[in-house]
Amino acid sequence: PKLEACTKRVIHSTMDGKVEGQLVKAIIPHCSRTAELYGLPKDHKRDISLRPIVSACDDPVDKLTWFLERVVTQLLPFVPAHLKNTSQFLDMLKTKFPDGFEEGTILFSIDVVNLYGSIPISEAIDATINLLSRHSDNIDMFGLDLDDIRALLEHCLKNNFVRFGQTYYRQTEGIAMGSRVAPPLAIVFMDALESMFL
């Protein structure tokens, strides 16, 4: 109940008078439930460890993360390494290498261990705000400014409460896998990291 009340205050303070009233009304939480933590078996691993997933449906920030996902997803066309699917990747390879690879070429991919759980929240928000500011002319922010988006992201990402069995926790590091805004945030953060490395 405390998080639901706080979420309502944050929504009203950042959105009232800026965002269409019907949209604000639609994302205000009502009769929320606590997100639940469960595990999906990683059956491709030798020890079949569990991937922690947060079922955030109807939690106090769920509808707000839906809204933020609508904003942040618009950034993905500005992330050069982002691929929609395998077909897009294969098409890019055919365009870049129409005659195939040179003999001896080794094609490989790199995976990040525990990507979502390893993303520093503040840096992910900074990366998102920086990319939004560079492409603000092409992004529909629904009447909000960058400070509003930052405040909403901070509220959602720093208030990840979950229940596991009868015990309640707050995730203090990383982004919850299961949050609607997590996938595009992870992509934007990895783009910022890759750009820095390159």
Side-chain angles (χ1 to χ4, degrees), residues 2 14 102:
K2 286 181 182 178
T14 56
E102 292 181 25

Side-chain angles (χ1 to χ4, degrees), residues 105-179:
T105 297
I106 299 172
L107 188 64
F108 67 95
S109 66
I110 299 172
D111 187 24
V112 177
V113 176
N114 186 27
L115 172 60
Y116 286 63
S118 299
I119 295 174
I121 293 171
S122 294
E123 290 178 37
I125 293 171
D126 288 345
T128 303
I129 297 301
N130 289 339
L131 199 56
L132 277 170
S133 68
R134 290 201 311 267
H135 300 286
S136 59
D137 293 342
N138 302 304
I139 304 296
D140 180 3
M141 294 198 296
F142 301 89
L144 300 179
D145 61 30
L146 295 175
D147 289 337
D148 296 326
I149 299 291
R150 178 182 293 278
L152 294 171
L153 284 169
E154 285 179 353
H155 177 74
C156 290
L157 299 177
K158 293 181 178 178
N159 287 291
N160 284 323
F161 291 92
V162 298
R163 182 176 64 81
F164 185 70
Q166 298 304 312
T167 307
Y168 293 83
Y169 300 92
R170 182 171 69 89
Q171 182 173 344
T172 57
E173 294 180 18
I175 297 172
M177 185 177 281
S179 169

Side-chain angles (χ1 to χ4, degrees), residues 68-130:
L68 290 169
E69 185 266 343
R70 307 299 271 185
V71 174
V72 179
T73 298
Q74 297 175 68
L75 292 171
L76 300 186
F78 304 106
V79 175
H82 174 64
L83 297 167
K84 292 179 194 172
N85 53 39
T86 304
S87 296
Q88 183 186 9
F89 175 63
L90 294 174
D91 289 343
M92 286 175 65
L93 287 179
K94 286 179 192 171
T95 302
K96 190 159 178 111
F97 304 101
D99 300 324
F101 297 113
E102 292 181 25
E103 188 175 330
T105 297
I106 299 172
L107 188 64
F108 67 95
S109 66
I110 299 172
D111 187 24
V112 177
V113 176
N114 186 27
L115 172 60
Y116 286 63
S118 299
I119 295 174
I121 293 171
S122 294
E123 290 178 37
I125 293 171
D126 288 345
T128 303
I129 297 301
N130 289 339

